[in-house]
Amino acid sequence: MDDIRVDELKERIAKGESLHIVDVREDWEHEEANIEGSTLIPLGDLPTRLSELDNLKGEEVIVHCKSGGRSGRAKQYMTGQGFSKVRNLLGGMDEFSQS
């Protein structure tokens, strides 16, 4: 599935869509700034906590990190584990915070 741009995500949030957003940054990064309603699962914890997201295997899941690198790896891992609609937030929180 194609990745998602910040403008599309912000537009969907503004419309009040119910979205599944997973933040794969570290706790301290999430505390500094986060997308309201996102679920924090640091990338290093993803293999042991992926079962928390099992109910979303067929749903769109948006993953993000600081700039897109870690969330790109999370997307690849999740797709390999049977998640069919994972989208990486291009530019991550860096771009989200600036726009």
Side-chain angles (χ1 to χ4, degrees):
M1 186 161 208
D2 290 340
D3 292 332
I4 187 167
R5 294 169 24 133
V6 166
D7 56 348
E8 179 187 343
L9 178 60
K10 285 192 168 190
E11 185 177 303
R12 292 177 65 190
I13 290 170
K15 288 180 181 174
E17 284 189 43
S18 178
L19 302 170
H20 306 293
I21 303 171
V22 178
D23 184 344
V24 297
R25 299 174 301 153
E26 297 300 317
D27 294 347
W28 65 270
E29 292 174 291
H30 184 81
E31 288 171 14
E32 283 182 358
N34 61 74
I35 299 173
E36 191 174 333
S38 63
T39 301
L40 175 66
I41 302 180
L43 182 61
D45 296 345
L46 197 56
T48 58
R49 294 184 56 195
L50 195 60
S51 62
E52 295 174 30
L53 304 174
D54 275 351
N55 62 322
L56 302 178
K57 278 197 170 173
E59 304 275 331
E60 178 188 47
V61 178
I62 298 166
V63 291
H64 80 86
C65 63
K66 183 179 188 304
S67 61
R70 284 175 283 179
S71 51
R73 291 194 297 277
K75 174 185 175 179
Q76 184 177 22
Y77 176 75
M78 291 174 70
T79 300
Q81 298 300 311
F83 287 79
S84 57
K85 299 177 182 174
V86 183
R87 301 180 76 187
N88 183 14
L89 179 62
L90 300 173
M93 280 302 291
D94 283 348
E95 191 168 322
F96 189 88
S97 298
Q98 291 174 10
S99 63

